[in-house]
Amino acid sequence: METHQAKRVEITIEAPMERRLTDALQNAGVQGYTITPVVGGSGRSGVWSREGQVGRAGGMVQVICIIRPERLDALLDAAFSVVDRHMGVVCITDCQVLRAERF
Amino acid sequence: METHQAKRVEITIEAPMERRLTDALQNAGVQGYTITPVVGGSGRSGVWSREGQVGRAGGMVQVICIIRPERLDALLDAAFSVVDRHMGVVCITDCQVLRAERF
Amino acid sequence: METHQAKRVEITIEAPMERRLTDALQNAGVQGYTITPVVGGSGRSGVWSREGQVGRAGGMVQVICIIRPERLDALLDAAFSVVDRHMGVVCITDCQVLRAERF
Amino acid sequence: MDGILALAADNLISPIILSFALGVFAALARSDLTVPEAAAKALSIYLLFAIGFKGGVSVADHGIDGTLALSLIAGLILSGALPLLAFFLLKILTKLDTTNAAAVAGHYGSISIVTFVAGTSVLQNAGISSEGYMVAVAAVMEAPAILSALWLVSRGAKNTDMDSALLREILLNGSIVLLVGAFFIGLITGAEGLARIESFIVAPFQGVLCLFLLDMGLVAGRGLRRSRSVLKLGALAFGIIMPLCGAMVGLGAGLAIGLSLGGVVLLMVLSASASYIAVPAAMRVALPEADPAIYLTLSLGVTFPFNLTIGIPIYLAIATAVIGAS
Amino acid sequence: MDGILALAADNLISPIILSFALGVFAALARSDLTVPEAAAKALSIYLLFAIGFKGGVSVADHGIDGTLALSLIAGLILSGALPLLAFFLLKILTKLDTTNAAAVAGHYGSISIVTFVAGTSVLQNAGISSEGYMVAVAAVMEAPAILSALWLVSRGAKNTDMDSALLREILLNGSIVLLVGAFFIGLITGAEGLARIESFIVAPFQGVLCLFLLDMGLVAGRGLRRSRSVLKLGALAFGIIMPLCGAMVGLGAGLAIGLSLGGVVLLMVLSASASYIAVPAAMRVALPEADPAIYLTLSLGVTFPFNLTIGIPIYLAIATAVIGAS
Amino acid sequence: MDGILALAADNLISPIILSFALGVFAALARSDLTVPEAAAKALSIYLLFAIGFKGGVSVADHGIDGTLALSLIAGLILSGALPLLAFFLLKILTKLDTTNAAAVAGHYGSISIVTFVAGTSVLQNAGISSEGYMVAVAAVMEAPAILSALWLVSRGAKNTDMDSALLREILLNGSIVLLVGAFFIGLITGAEGLARIESFIVAPFQGVLCLFLLDMGLVAGRGLRRSRSVLKLGALAFGIIMPLCGAMVGLGAGLAIGLSLGGVVLLMVLSASASYIAVPAAMRVALPEADPAIYLTLSLGVTFPFNLTIGIPIYLAIATAVIGAS
Ligand SMILES: Nc1ncnc2c1ncn2[C@@H]1O[C@H](COP(=O)(O)O)[C@@H](O)[C@H]1O
Ligand SMILES: Nc1ncnc2c1ncn2[C@@H]1O[C@H](COP(=O)(O)O)[C@@H](O)[C@H]1O
Ligand SMILES: Nc1ncnc2c1ncn2[C@@H]1O[C@H](COP(=O)(O)O)[C@@H](O)[C@H]1O
Ligand code: NA
Ligand code: NA
Ligand code: NA
């Protein structure tokens, strides 16, 4: 099966920033992303868990974007503008995709 | 610690197709996979979110398979037969695993 | 944008072992990790799903750690000491991160 | 006529309708108010269980009358036939291609259980009784419409992913199993069973419905906001004309099989309502090329609120006039 | 005898049992009916809170009688000892290895709170009162069985992952803390506290139980479907013989410490029931080599429905006969 | 004085407070007892809907009196002004930097709706009536405090991420929309609407509140366990002194605008309470440098239980004394 080179960018970000991040991505021309839930974690600011929480403040989500390599920089600039002063981890991996015309 | 080369295949697919995909994987001899939830996303067909939804129609899941490199093609053929006409993203990454005998 | 080489370790482990794993990680000096939910899967011990379950026994979670390459071995030793006799998959990928000082 | 207007007004200012409106407003205003998916599913499980159970108890109480079998058959036929009518209307009113038109048509043959519940509570407030087994009729109307929709597509030599697995999924989909199962539990345990769980499934029912409709309003509003562009005027017109036509067909069927006034109204409501849970899932599998934004927005964003607010009082008025006159 | 049969029949056609049956049916038929995990957990939190609270209020009302301490001690001993009996039976009836047999045995020393609730509601329907503190006995019976199971394995020089962290987890596991905590809240606030929250924890209780049992039926049915192969005839027999034997031991203990008829029946039910929440989690940690399919299917798929349907009426009949005769 | 102590004692041993205590205990003991996130959110949706609706019905019943507008204005001013007081106290009592102090201050200008509910139920038990529109006052007090906090930071030439998107998010945040929306639904449908859903939003209310407070106890306890180190003595003192000061300001405002005894107490409670849902989310966006451990622990771990247990009875006592005397 024919596969094509792409980049998988996984951004772990505070839930209250989610809409700002996806808006920034859209503005940077990134139309495809998938949001997955996060139930807890640990970092320099301590351990946290979503259990029993009512508000969105104390939680994070992951936004996963798969894009062509040449568009990576635009995406990272957009993501960085949002993540900058906030908690959040940006992790980029090389990957292969089927149906390259979709990206 | 000794690690072994493997492939990580992450298939984002519409929830109503989940059982069809896992059946196809089983038939192709892929016995190990992990299903993770997806809460929202965006693509060529627009933005969506699982919040408040009752049915499965408007949602996706991720199916993650870790397999030996030599079995990748069989898996992709099986996945593609299901994903083909449907929404869905297939993303393949090189990875290392512990305990290779399990894969 | 400047990126830095790192490792992404994704550990899929039974939910009752979650705290033991994160404790072992902390003891091995790994302070940063993110926990994501798993809703079902299949392996040598059969097919399972979290739907309708009340207890934690019949479920798994994913613990994702992003670390500097040189600290990978310490992390794997810690993870392996917990995963050893238990169900669980450890998958390591090369990745790039922004803001290397955080890892 | 005054009575109808009063009824319609009364209906419009009920907490249930206003909760739906609040949800739509919150979604359109882009508030972050949301009901968690698990909570929405739990509410729907409660509603299906309660509706089915009460229907079963009512049949246990009043006995099965001769029209039960006829009503079930009428339901099957209506569900199978209404998509043809819908398809025809869509071809006249809109420019949708065959696949999309068939997918939409499938939704209108099937039913919305919440619209059905709203119908029963309008009847209740008006002091009109109805056949308890109408719940079972609702259940049998869920699935045939899907087959009709797929037939409409395959007729055009298009490819559908229909197979036996899908057929089993359609017939055994969660909401049908729960509704029918609870119906039989109610039928078997009867008034005694009801007495045990009455303060769970009867007393708080209307309140739970408010929260469920709040959620449906949120989902509908989000859909409307995102799909404004796909809704051309013709499609909008279809979303209002189709339930009216469907209700007329339901009226004819109800009169033909001799249902009571309440039963006739409920059959009209079932015929007029459109699915937004079972059918969309089946369409994603069998007709992946059809655009969900179109069928979901029409069904949940246009027809559902239309029925809930003015549709039901109109159907009741028409049925009262026709049956009173005959 | 007629009375027992009538009671058993009455028990079988209650909405609660039928809801369980519906769940099993839906799972075996591979319907996509599911209860979200969060909803199932919420239901169980409600049930534990309500059960504990009502037990505490009942003790506050009737005062603590002399047998309270004795009952708690009896509970501890039963929970520790029943796994030995179970292990012995398993070695006779099945070919399970030591690890798996010990894991299963641990489940049967511990308890199922829903079986306990079903027991109290059968008593209630029969107009038989029982000691409110039996809830506390249920709580103390959760944990010791786990230690017995681990001892059974370590005796065989096998390795278990028992450590102080696990011990704390077992003793402070969520369901014990909630049950005991709610018991004390009920005890402290008494009838006045109950009056405030009665319409939440008493009136809708049976109805909530229906939905919870629907979910347990779904989980049990899914387990049965997937694990049919692991269930040999010997294991199946164990799943029915063990509760009967356990109930007899419970009967002896109840008589010895002088419980009322209702109390004796509840102690029998506790002894006969098997855990499917706390113990499985502990076993995954301490005995990862034991196969969950075996112990979960036996406990939830065989013993649970057996107790719910015919077990409890049998225990009540036996206790009535024995106590009436003495 | 005796009356107050009795009331305080009575308050302390209510199932609601004890449920909170149970949650804190379970979290500190590291029990794995948890309420799923979706269930916690569902409980809060229920509470907001019920509170808003009942407030609206009460206004529909008693009519709008002249002080409604005054009360809303008072609420807006209090919410905007209290953060200044809080900031001042923080600068005296603690060594927090400007950003953290401003973030904490914002929480104390805003309100906790559960504390408000606890206040209404203490009033109810004491047979004291209050203005139904106090719910609307609660709603208007949610947001202005956030703007004050941001002003406090920007004054120091620090950077805040305030923009129009955030402003819309604050004003249309889910809890405000639901509370105000339900208020209007109650106002429009009145006593008739209430009659329909009373057995859902009135009867089980206190019981649902118990489970919600169990969850809040768990969250607060987990916060306390993890953030013990960040809580210096000065901060702790602030967590108790600030609500007392806030209540005094609220008392003055309530007397000035001529509220009834009950209304004055509720305004005191609102002024004394601190937000832990809407404000934290806004702070994460606008003041990411502020440490959530500080503001959440203070608000939920210190001030919330203080108000719930002894704060409210004290405010009631003071208000009674002052109003009785005048
Ligand atoms: N090295 C890491 N690997 C994976 N997730 C991380 C890592 N560091 C931080 N995170 C996630 O990001 C959140 C915030 O991190 P921090 O800003 O360091 O407190 C944590 O709670 C984790 O969920
Ligand atoms: N480039 C992408 N990266 C990550 N997820 C994607 C991407 N494109 C599509 N998706 C996911 O797949 C779903 C369907 O995509 P589409 O078929 O393009 O509408 C989206 O809603 C996303 O959840
Ligand atoms: N090859 C694999 N790829 C992804 N997940 C796996 C794989 N093998 C096992 N798993 C996950 O690990 C769980 C336990 O595996 P096992 O111990 O093989 O039964 C499965 O239920 C899956 O969730
Ligand atoms: Na219809
Ligand atoms: Na037992
Ligand atoms: Na305040």
Side-chain angles (χ1 to χ4, degrees):
Chain A
M1 191 136 298
E2 198 191 1
T3 61
H4 306 265
Q5 200 64 36
K7 296 281 182 180
R8 178 184 187 277
V9 184
E10 180 183 87
I11 306 170
T12 309
I13 195 172
E14 290 179 276
M17 298 300 293
E18 178 191 315
R19 201 189 281 176
R20 280 172 178 74
L21 176 62
T22 55
D23 285 352
L25 292 178
Q26 301 264 1
N27 290 342
V30 179
Q31 209 201 334
Y33 56 81
T34 295
I35 302 173
T36 62
V38 174
V39 293
S42 168
R44 293 169 309 156
S45 45
V47 178
W48 63 274
S49 150
R50 277 304 303 161
E51 274 160 345
Q53 300 279 356
V54 172
R56 284 170 67 82
M60 306 191 89
V61 296
Q62 283 190 338
V63 178
I64 299 168
C65 301
I66 295 162
I67 47 156
R68 294 164 182 268
E70 62 266 29
R71 301 181 53 194
L72 179 63
D73 271 332
L75 187 155
L76 290 184
D77 285 337
F80 193 72
S81 71
V82 175
V83 175
D84 185 13
R85 291 169 57 221
H86 291 268
M87 291 181 183
V89 176
V90 179
C91 163
I92 306 132
T93 348
D94 288 321
C95 69
Q96 307 281 119
V97 291
L98 302 183
R99 307 195 285 188
E101 70 283 3
R102 301 204 155 209
F103 296 93
Chain B
M1 190 138 296
E2 199 190 2
T3 61
H4 307 264
Q5 199 65 33
K7 296 279 182 182
R8 178 182 187 277
V9 184
E10 179 182 89
I11 307 169
T12 309
I13 195 173
E14 289 179 278
M17 299 300 294
E18 178 191 316
R19 203 190 279 176
R20 281 173 178 73
L21 176 62
T22 55
D23 286 352
L25 293 178
Q26 302 263 1
N27 290 342
V30 179
Q31 211 202 332
Y33 56 80
T34 295
I35 301 173
T36 61
V38 175
V39 293
S42 169
R44 292 168 312 155
S45 45
V47 177
W48 63 273
S49 149
R50 276 303 306 160
E51 273 161 346
Q53 300 279 355
V54 172
R56 283 170 68 80
M60 306 191 89
V61 296
Q62 284 190 336
V63 178
I64 299 167
C65 302
I66 295 161
I67 47 157
R68 292 163 183 270
E70 62 267 29
R71 300 181 55 195
L72 179 64
D73 271 332
L75 186 156
L76 291 185
D77 284 338
F80 193 72
S81 72
V82 175
V83 175
D84 186 13
R85 291 170 57 224
H86 290 268
M87 290 180 184
V89 176
V90 179
C91 164
I92 306 130
T93 350
D94 289 320
C95 68
Q96 307 281 118
V97 291
L98 302 184
R99 307 195 285 189
E101 70 283 3
R102 302 204 155 208
F103 295 92
Chain C
M1 191 137 297
E2 199 191 0
T3 62
H4 307 265
Q5 199 64 34
K7 297 279 181 181
R8 178 183 187 276
V9 184
E10 179 182 89
I11 306 170
T12 309
I13 195 172
E14 289 179 277
M17 300 300 294
E18 178 190 317
R19 202 190 279 176
R20 281 172 178 73
L21 176 62
T22 53
D23 285 352
L25 292 178
Q26 301 264 0
N27 290 341
V30 179
Q31 211 201 332
Y33 56 82
T34 294
I35 301 174
T36 62
V38 174
V39 292
S42 169
R44 293 167 312 154
S45 45
V47 177
W48 63 273
S49 149
R50 277 302 306 159
E51 272 160 347
Q53 300 279 355
V54 172
R56 284 170 67 82
M60 306 192 88
V61 295
Q62 284 190 338
V63 177
I64 299 168
C65 302
I66 295 162
I67 47 156
R68 291 164 184 268
E70 62 267 27
R71 302 182 52 193
L72 179 63
D73 272 331
L75 186 156
L76 291 184
D77 285 337
F80 193 72
S81 71
V82 175
V83 175
D84 187 12
R85 292 169 55 221
H86 290 269
M87 291 181 183
V89 176
V90 179
C91 163
I92 306 130
T93 348
D94 289 321
C95 69
Q96 307 281 119
V97 292
L98 303 183
R99 307 195 285 190
E101 69 285 2
R102 301 206 156 208
F103 296 92
Chain D
M1 194 63 205
D2 269 15
I4 302 162
L5 284 180
L7 199 69
D10 190 55
N11 188 36
L12 279 174
I13 65 158
S14 77
I16 294 170
I17 306 288
L18 292 174
S19 296
F20 180 81
L22 174 58
V24 171
F25 165 80
L28 291 181
R30 311 193 79 197
S31 163
D32 68 351
L33 178 60
T34 52
V35 175
E37 179 185 357
K41 284 187 175 167
L43 290 175
S44 94
I45 289 172
Y46 169 86
L47 294 176
L48 289 167
F49 183 82
I51 297 163
F53 193 95
K54 286 183 278 188
V57 171
S58 148
V59 172
D61 276 7
H62 302 297
I64 298 174
D65 62 44
T67 47
L68 168 58
L70 279 178
S71 302
L72 292 177
I73 294 169
L76 286 172
I77 296 175
L78 282 171
S79 173
L82 285 169
L84 309 183
L85 171 59
F87 190 77
F88 174 77
L89 281 176
L90 282 163
K91 284 294 181 187
I92 296 178
L93 292 167
T94 73
K95 288 185 186 145
L96 293 181
D97 62 27
T98 300
T99 308
N100 275 307
V104 172
H107 288 72
Y108 282 82
S110 186
I111 59 113
S112 143
I113 201 72
V114 175
T115 311
F116 175 78
V117 168
T120 50
S121 78
V122 167
L123 288 180
Q124 233 164 37
N125 288 346
I128 301 169
S129 70
S130 62
E131 288 81 357
Y133 53 71
M134 289 310 292
V135 160
V137 177
V140 302
M141 287 182 74
E142 287 230 29
I146 300 171
L147 303 182
S148 282
L150 299 186
W151 175 80
L152 281 168
V153 175
S154 63
R155 214 189 37 134
K158 283 267 179 61
N159 198 0
T160 71
D161 282 354
M162 182 66 201
D163 57 12
S164 69
L166 180 59
L167 194 63
R168 215 211 34 240
E169 269 173 41
I170 295 172
L171 294 175
L172 288 173
N173 100 58
S175 45
I176 297 186
V177 168
L178 185 51
L179 193 63
V180 174
F183 178 83
F184 279 109
I185 297 180
L187 190 62
I188 297 170
T189 61
E192 209 181 309
L194 184 62
R196 286 211 211 172
I197 62 172
E198 196 156 22
S199 42
F200 178 64
I201 66 169
V202 178
F205 186 84
Q206 300 267 334
V208 177
L209 202 54
C210 285
L211 290 193
F212 190 69
L213 278 169
L214 174 71
D215 178 54
M216 305 219 52
L218 286 166
V219 173
R222 266 197 313 255
L224 283 173
R225 185 155 55 76
R226 282 178 191 151
S227 333
R228 232 167 304 182
S229 55
V230 304
L231 278 198
K232 307 273 171 294
L233 212 71
L236 277 176
F238 170 83
I240 289 172
I241 294 173
M242 178 61 208
L244 290 168
C245 296
M248 290 308 112
V249 179
L251 172 70
L255 293 174
I257 59 181
L259 287 171
S260 71
L261 171 59
V264 167
V265 172
L266 289 182
L267 197 59
M268 292 173 79
V269 169
L270 288 174
S271 305
S273 74
S275 169
Y276 40 79
I277 295 182
V279 181
M283 289 303 157
R284 287 317 300 150
V285 173
L287 291 182
E289 286 84 6
D291 182 355
I294 300 175
Y295 49 71
L296 278 177
T297 311
L298 268 179
S299 145
L300 190 57
V302 180
T303 301
F304 179 72
F306 169 74
N307 278 328
L308 225 58
T309 50
I310 42 180
I312 296 175
I314 293 179
Y315 312 149
L316 173 54
I318 295 177
T320 313
V322 170
I323 292 183
S326 67
Chain E
M1 194 63 205
D2 269 16
I4 302 162
L5 285 179
L7 199 69
D10 190 56
N11 189 35
L12 279 175
I13 63 158
S14 77
I16 293 170
I17 307 288
L18 292 173
S19 296
F20 181 81
L22 175 58
V24 172
F25 165 81
L28 292 181
R30 309 194 78 197
S31 164
D32 69 351
L33 178 60
T34 51
V35 175
E37 180 185 356
K41 283 188 176 168
L43 290 176
S44 93
I45 289 172
Y46 169 86
L47 293 176
L48 289 167
F49 182 81
I51 297 163
F53 193 94
K54 286 183 278 189
V57 171
S58 147
V59 172
D61 276 6
H62 301 297
I64 296 173
D65 63 43
T67 47
L68 168 60
L70 279 177
S71 304
L72 291 177
I73 294 168
L76 285 172
I77 296 175
L78 282 170
S79 173
L82 285 169
L84 309 183
L85 171 60
F87 190 77
F88 173 76
L89 281 175
L90 282 163
K91 283 294 181 189
I92 295 178
L93 292 167
T94 73
K95 289 186 186 141
L96 293 182
D97 62 25
T98 298
T99 307
N100 275 306
V104 172
H107 287 72
Y108 283 81
S110 186
I111 60 115
S112 143
I113 201 72
V114 175
T115 312
F116 175 78
V117 167
T120 50
S121 79
V122 167
L123 288 181
Q124 232 164 38
N125 289 346
I128 301 169
S129 70
S130 61
E131 287 81 357
Y133 54 70
M134 290 310 292
V135 161
V137 178
V140 301
M141 287 182 73
E142 286 230 29
I146 299 171
L147 303 182
S148 283
L150 299 185
W151 176 79
L152 282 167
V153 174
S154 63
R155 214 190 37 134
K158 283 265 179 61
N159 198 358
T160 70
D161 280 356
M162 182 67 201
D163 56 13
S164 69
L166 180 60
L167 195 63
R168 213 210 36 237
E169 270 172 39
I170 295 172
L171 294 175
L172 287 174
N173 99 59
S175 45
I176 297 186
V177 168
L178 185 51
L179 193 63
V180 174
F183 179 84
F184 278 109
I185 298 180
L187 190 63
I188 297 171
T189 61
E192 207 182 310
L194 184 62
R196 285 210 211 173
I197 63 172
E198 195 155 24
S199 42
F200 178 63
I201 66 169
V202 178
F205 187 83
Q206 300 267 334
V208 177
L209 203 54
C210 285
L211 290 193
F212 191 69
L213 278 168
L214 174 72
D215 177 53
M216 307 219 48
L218 286 166
V219 173
R222 268 198 312 256
L224 284 173
R225 185 155 57 77
R226 283 178 190 153
S227 333
R228 234 168 304 184
S229 56
V230 304
L231 278 198
K232 307 274 174 290
L233 213 70
L236 277 176
F238 170 82
I240 289 170
I241 293 173
M242 180 60 208
L244 291 168
C245 296
M248 290 307 114
V249 179
L251 173 69
L255 293 175
I257 59 180
L259 288 171
S260 71
L261 172 59
V264 167
V265 172
L266 289 182
L267 197 59
M268 293 173 77
V269 169
L270 287 174
S271 305
S273 75
S275 169
Y276 40 79
I277 295 181
V279 181
M283 290 302 157
R284 288 316 302 148
V285 173
L287 292 181
E289 287 85 5
D291 182 356
I294 300 174
Y295 49 71
L296 276 177
T297 312
L298 269 179
S299 146
L300 190 57
V302 180
T303 300
F304 179 71
F306 170 75
N307 278 328
L308 225 57
T309 51
I310 41 180
I312 296 174
I314 293 179
Y315 311 148
L316 172 54
I318 296 177
T320 313
V322 170
I323 292 183
S326 65
Chain F
M1 193 63 204
D2 269 15
I4 302 162
L5 284 180
L7 198 69
D10 191 53
N11 188 36
L12 278 175
I13 64 158
S14 78
I16 293 170
I17 305 288
L18 292 173
S19 296
F20 181 81
L22 175 59
V24 172
F25 165 80
L28 292 181
R30 307 195 80 197
S31 164
D32 68 352
L33 178 60
T34 51
V35 175
E37 179 186 356
K41 283 187 176 168
L43 291 176
S44 93
I45 289 172
Y46 169 86
L47 294 176
L48 289 167
F49 183 81
I51 297 164
F53 193 94
K54 287 184 278 189
V57 172
S58 148
V59 172
D61 277 7
H62 301 297
I64 298 173
D65 64 42
T67 47
L68 168 58
L70 279 179
S71 303
L72 292 176
I73 293 168
L76 285 172
I77 296 174
L78 282 171
S79 173
L82 285 169
L84 309 183
L85 172 60
F87 189 76
F88 174 75
L89 281 176
L90 282 162
K91 284 293 182 188
I92 296 178
L93 292 167
T94 73
K95 288 185 184 143
L96 293 182
D97 62 25
T98 299
T99 307
N100 275 306
V104 172
H107 287 72
Y108 282 81
S110 187
I111 60 116
S112 143
I113 201 72
V114 175
T115 311
F116 175 77
V117 168
T120 50
S121 78
V122 167
L123 288 180
Q124 231 163 39
N125 288 347
I128 301 169
S129 70
S130 60
E131 286 82 356
Y133 54 70
M134 289 311 291
V135 160
V137 177
V140 301
M141 287 181 74
E142 287 231 29
I146 300 171
L147 302 182
S148 282
L150 300 186
W151 176 78
L152 281 168
V153 174
S154 64
R155 214 191 36 136
K158 283 265 179 62
N159 198 359
T160 71
D161 281 357
M162 183 66 201
D163 55 13
S164 70
L166 179 60
L167 194 64
R168 214 211 34 239
E169 270 172 41
I170 295 172
L171 293 176
L172 287 173
N173 100 57
S175 45
I176 297 186
V177 168
L178 185 51
L179 193 63
V180 174
F183 178 84
F184 278 110
I185 298 180
L187 190 62
I188 297 171
T189 62
E192 207 181 311
L194 184 62
R196 285 210 210 172
I197 62 172
E198 194 157 23
S199 42
F200 177 63
I201 66 169
V202 178
F205 187 82
Q206 299 267 333
V208 177
L209 202 55
C210 284
L211 291 192
F212 190 69
L213 278 169
L214 174 71
D215 177 54
M216 305 219 49
L218 286 166
V219 173
R222 268 198 312 258
L224 283 173
R225 184 155 55 75
R226 283 178 190 152
S227 332
R228 233 167 303 182
S229 55
V230 303
L231 278 198
K232 307 274 173 293
L233 212 71
L236 277 175
F238 170 82
I240 290 171
I241 294 173
M242 179 61 207
L244 291 168
C245 297
M248 289 308 113
V249 179
L251 172 70
L255 293 175
I257 60 181
L259 288 171
S260 72
L261 172 58
V264 167
V265 172
L266 290 182
L267 197 59
M268 292 172 79
V269 169
L270 287 173
S271 304
S273 74
S275 169
Y276 40 79
I277 295 182
V279 181
M283 290 303 158
R284 288 315 301 147
V285 172
L287 292 182
E289 287 84 6
D291 181 356
I294 300 175
Y295 50 70
L296 277 177
T297 312
L298 268 180
S299 145
L300 191 57
V302 180
T303 301
F304 179 71
F306 169 75
N307 278 327
L308 226 56
T309 50
I310 41 180
I312 296 175
I314 292 179
Y315 311 148
L316 173 53
I318 295 177
T320 314
V322 170
I323 293 184
S326 64

